[in-house]
Amino acid sequence: MKNLTTCFSPQLLPLYEFEDRTVVVVDILRATSSMVTAFAYDVASITPVPALADCRVLKEQGYITAGERGGQKVDGFDLGNSPFEFMDHKLNGKDLAFTTTNGSQAILAVTGARTIILGSFLNLSSTADFLIKNNESVLVLCAGWKGKFNIEDTLYAGALANLLQDQFTFEDDSTLAAVNLYQNAADDLLSFLHRGSHAQRLAGFLNHRDLEFCVQRDKFSLNAIYRNDRLYRI
Ligand code: MLT
């Protein structure tokens, strides 16, 4: 049986071997939720980049720029990082350049992995189905916040592992802890998210509907996979 392990923060990544695994990168608030939403609205590709300047270079090549710093839209960018900004059929067929504080950096931190996909509650079951069919051991990488643990990505890791417990072994206590947390919170995920540090951080300017949206399970049937520097819908 393949195994599934959970890394609570990119800062802990040096402790994990991920090269032979599928890595599920998750940033529930809000990068991976927004990216999955963009694919549901048929963007052609998303290129995650580390810096604002990288986005600006790609804009000159015709890319749509998206992302945030400190949770807020960047001056001169086309889009911020709210999933609602990607619910726009004008984005159909477009290539996006995306930079965020944690989510896009987490994707770039695991580019040596055998397979990289995005995780969000919005496509939870599709991701579980993909992982079962793909039959590789899995690392769930929580993007966290600037290297620190966060509640929303951990809840997602628990939700995914909860779906996969008959198909994968759990080799570490982080996955067990995530599953227990999820089982306690499953009936009221939104309340748990509201108490989290990132929800508090964003509260000054974030419309509550972002949180309510990002916590929905299985709104979309799709996966997003990273190949040759870009994410694509599969
Ligand atoms: C990030 O990547 O750090 C987050 O998506 C921040 C945000 O909520 O915009």
Side-chain angles (χ1 to χ4, degrees):
M1 210 186 250
K2 301 292 179 186
N3 67 64
L4 180 149
T5 190
T6 303
C7 176
F8 285 141
S9 150
Q11 290 291 105
L12 296 171
L13 203 50
L15 303 177
Y16 294 83
E17 287 180 10
F18 59 83
E19 287 77 7
D20 289 335
R21 289 176 181 255
T22 294
V23 180
V24 181
V25 180
V26 52
D27 183 359
I28 295 299
L29 297 177
R30 297 162 293 172
T32 56
S33 301
S34 292
M35 291 176 182
V36 164
T37 302
F39 282 117
Y41 280 74
D42 293 322
V43 302
S45 73
I46 298 175
T47 303
V49 293
L52 302 178
D54 301 312
C55 265
R56 293 189 176 112
V57 168
L58 290 174
K59 186 176 173 74
E60 285 167 18
Q61 298 169 27
Y63 287 67
I64 305 283
T65 50
E68 56 69 41
R69 285 295 180 269
Q72 294 192 277
K73 183 169 178 262
V74 178
D75 276 352
F77 274 35
D78 301 305
L79 301 165
N81 189 30
S82 165
F84 289 91
E85 293 178 80
F86 300 91
M87 295 177 197
D88 182 349
H89 290 293
K90 287 204 276 300
L91 295 174
N92 191 324
K94 302 287 189 197
D95 296 307
L96 271 53
F98 218 117
T99 185
T100 67
T101 311
N102 304 283
S104 58
Q105 321 294 342
I107 297 165
L108 295 168
V110 291
T111 52
R114 183 175 290 177
T115 310
I116 303 170
I117 59 171
L118 300 185
S120 78
F121 285 113
L122 301 169
N123 67 335
L124 176 64
S125 294
S126 296
T127 301
D129 291 345
F130 174 90
L131 295 172
I132 291 167
K133 287 195 196 104
N134 199 42
N135 198 32
E136 291 173 2
S137 287
V138 173
L139 176 76
V140 180
L141 174 60
C142 300
W145 179 261
K146 296 187 177 175
K148 293 184 179 167
F149 173 97
N150 78 22
I151 201 87
E152 60 272 15
D153 298 343
T154 307
L155 282 169
Y156 169 84
L160 184 66
N162 196 51
L163 286 178
L164 295 174
Q165 50 195 325
D166 293 335
Q167 288 84 12
F168 289 81
T169 56
F170 301 159
E171 70 179 21
D172 59 0
D173 290 354
S174 54
T175 304
L176 290 177
V179 169
N180 274 285
L181 186 71
Y182 174 72
Q183 288 173 346
N184 281 320
D187 292 339
D188 194 5
L189 278 181
L190 191 58
S191 297
F192 264 73
L193 252 67
H194 269 298
R195 277 183 253 150
S197 59
H198 195 49
Q200 301 292 329
R201 191 176 297 115
L202 295 175
F205 53 88
L206 182 70
N207 191 315
H208 282 303
R209 68 183 188 150
D210 276 25
L211 262 71
E212 285 166 19
F213 183 81
C214 293
V215 86
Q216 294 174 96
R217 279 159 277 195
D218 295 329
K219 186 170 177 58
F220 304 128
S221 296
L222 63 89
N223 279 294
I225 193 161
Y226 185 82
R227 285 195 185 119
N228 303 322
D229 302 333
R230 294 177 188 216
L231 291 152
Y232 297 96
R233 176 178 175 157
I234 52 169

